[in-house]
Amino acid sequence: YRQVQEKKRKMKDRLLPFLLLMLWLALQSDGKRVKVFVDQDCAPGSSNILSLLMLLQSPDVEVVGVGVIAGDSSLENAMYHALQAVEMTGKNVPVAAGFAHPILNGREEVLDRMQRWGPKGGDGWLGNFGKDPSDMVPRAVTGFGPPALQPSPLSAAELLMVKARKHEGELVLVTLGPLTNVAAAVLADPLLPNRIHSVYVMAGALFVPSKFNFWWDAEAAQIFLRQPWQRKVILPIDVCEQTEYTPALHDRAVPPSSTLLGRYLRAQMNEHTGEFHLPMWDELTVGVMLDPELVLESDSLYVGVDYSLGPHYGSTLWWPDDQPSCDGEDVPSSYESYKHPYWIERNSIDPWMVVTIVDVPRFEELYVRTMSQPLRSHAHVQEL
């Protein structure tokens, strides 16, 4: 039995990246750029802002909207830097503010769990829950004034719903932060998953103890995961840890200081040198969307989140797609011990393509090539 299962797994590892490539080719079949809505927590000088710029700079992508949420930073700070990043590239892209807080989780709940059950696992990162309020106000990048671009009058959830209707059947949703904005959108428009062509998610973890995007708002994450998205890819923290943002890679990717974007990025990273040598979580997710051949191995899994108020709040639950369902409520899962929960069949949920191994050298070349693209539009940015 185990030999048969191993053969099936290896066949999936070979087949799923091929299907992802076919998906990408279908999106580009008419020669148009792929329409993307990105939702993320745009902290400055980090994987957040670099991945947003990567999407904006890609010649293969048309970013039609940016939804912003708190998470790694406050909503106010994230909005400031998201607006400035869009303005930096000279694009006419609406940027909408989303949730400043989770549905139920919050700083008090986080501190209570830590007091009861000990520190958060992994790197212990608490995002805006663990920061001093004085660190959460927007700070200008050295040498640059505040963005002149104004935020959309719509909320992030409203903007996503509008763009999904306008580009029905062709919009790609890329989520790189907590899932509260998207959860609100699907609750307001239950047909949203049918309008979206495909979903790429950076969140969760299979074996490493780190967690953040699901953990920040586990209730929203579970709402998101229970939707019948049609084509869906998750990059968990495990696979992202195969990458590393080094000063050498930064120097290769950043345009020369003679360019506006080059000066902006160098100023950002000079103020956030602690971001070096960290995984490229969000950039890798964007990279897999841009180039499916980055995926060397993947697995087909049903994915959920522990949203109980205990010590495992926000932990990823997962089940192989060939296990039968069980009756009753969700239970913590391991690879072999549990059947998948009832809501998978009730909601007609398909398994996620979970990326497990990527071609890191190929990804780094893609990152350098994309980030060093010349600006396609004239940016009106106030330099000091």
Side-chain angles (χ1 to χ4, degrees):
Y1 172 78
R2 291 185 179 276
Q3 290 177 342
V4 171
Q5 294 301 103
E6 180 64 16
K7 288 181 180 179
K8 287 173 64 178
R9 187 192 68 80
K10 290 181 178 180
M11 183 175 295
K12 288 177 184 175
D13 286 344
R14 292 192 296 267
L15 181 60
L16 286 171
F18 172 76
L19 294 176
L20 190 59
L21 177 59
M22 293 300 101
L23 165 63
W24 178 250
L25 292 175
L27 280 168
Q28 291 191 307
S29 61
D30 58 0
K32 296 180 181 178
R33 288 182 291 153
V34 177
K35 293 177 172 59
V36 170
F37 187 100
V38 57
D39 191 272
Q40 69 166 209
D41 47 344
C42 298
S46 67
S47 182
N48 303 310
I49 206 72
L50 295 176
S51 58
L52 176 58
L53 286 166
M54 193 177 174
L55 280 168
L56 291 165
Q57 283 289 87
S58 172
D60 299 321
V61 167
E62 178 189 353
V63 179
V64 300
V66 178
V68 180
I69 187 166
D72 281 332
S73 186
S74 67
L75 179 62
E76 184 183 10
N77 194 34
M79 278 295 293
Y80 181 99
H81 291 284
L83 288 166
Q84 191 162 59
V86 172
E87 187 176 79
M88 191 64 53
T89 60
K91 304 295 172 58
N92 183 24
V93 178
V95 180
F99 282 79
H101 307 283
I103 296 173
L104 293 176
N105 195 31
R107 179 179 172 83
E108 292 78 12
E109 285 76 12
V110 169
L111 296 178
D112 180 68
R113 286 196 300 272
M114 291 174 63
Q115 185 177 16
R116 292 171 183 269
W117 295 294
K120 174 176 173 279
D123 58 10
W125 175 243
L126 301 179
N128 65 329
F129 296 147
K131 292 188 175 182
D132 186 278
S134 63
D135 292 333
M136 305 303 286
V137 297
R139 293 184 179 179
V141 178
T142 301
F144 292 86
L149 183 65
Q150 295 299 303
S152 168
L154 301 176
S155 71
E158 290 170 329
L159 182 62
L160 172 57
M161 289 188 288
V162 167
K163 295 300 180 180
R165 290 191 181 98
K166 182 177 180 180
H167 305 292
E168 186 158 352
E170 59 178 339
L171 184 64
V172 176
L173 174 60
V174 179
T175 74
L176 305 172
L179 282 306
T180 319
N181 292 342
V182 184
V186 297
L187 290 175
D189 180 7
L191 294 179
L192 181 70
N194 298 325
R195 306 184 200 280
I196 299 292
H197 182 277
S198 49
V199 179
Y200 292 79
V201 182
M202 191 281 115
L206 300 183
F207 299 108
V208 299
S210 298
K211 53 185 177 181
F212 188 78
N213 285 346
F214 283 167
W215 168 87
W216 193 85
D217 190 344
E219 288 79 10
Q222 185 67 352
I223 290 170
F224 170 82
L225 291 167
R226 286 194 181 198
Q227 306 307 311
W229 306 103
Q230 300 176 73
R231 306 163 190 88
K232 49 192 185 179
V233 181
I234 283 184
L235 280 85
I237 294 173
D238 313 59
V239 70
C240 298
E241 290 186 347
Q242 296 171 23
T243 64
E244 180 184 359
Y245 194 57
T246 64
L249 180 59
H250 176 71
D251 289 339
R252 288 176 58 206
V254 173
S257 296
S258 58
T259 67
L260 178 67
L261 184 59
R263 291 192 295 276
Y264 173 73
L265 281 173
R266 291 181 191 281
Q268 279 245 358
M269 296 309 295
N270 285 343
E271 297 172 11
H272 298 88
T273 55
E275 297 294 331
F276 286 126
H277 303 294
L278 292 178
M280 301 176 72
W281 300 281
D282 297 349
E283 301 97 321
L284 182 62
T285 305
V286 172
V288 167
M289 192 213 73
L290 294 175
D291 181 7
E293 292 190 45
L294 292 177
V295 180
L296 299 181
E297 290 189 18
S298 60
D299 213 337
S300 181
L301 303 173
Y302 296 109
V303 179
V305 177
D306 186 336
Y307 57 99
S308 66
L309 300 180
H312 302 296
Y313 179 86
S315 295
T316 307
L317 308 176
W318 51 275
W319 304 264
D321 67 352
D322 54 1
Q323 286 186 340
S325 64
C326 64
D327 296 326
E329 294 297 322
D330 300 352
V331 291
S333 71
S334 65
Y335 193 85
E336 295 186 15
S337 300
Y338 292 95
K339 302 174 181 179
H340 65 251
Y342 70 95
W343 52 264
I344 287 175
E345 291 184 355
R346 185 192 68 184
N347 294 12
S348 301
I349 304 297
D350 291 326
W352 286 82
M353 174 180 172
V354 181
V355 179
T356 55
I357 300 179
V358 293
D359 186 334
V360 174
R362 183 182 177 111
F363 162 66
E364 291 182 350
E365 290 303 316
L366 172 66
Y367 180 76
V368 170
R369 189 168 62 251
T370 304
M371 292 295 284
S372 58
Q373 288 278 329
L375 293 175
R376 299 197 302 273
S377 305
H378 180 65
H380 300 278
V381 177
Q382 179 186 358
E383 289 191 82
L384 303 178

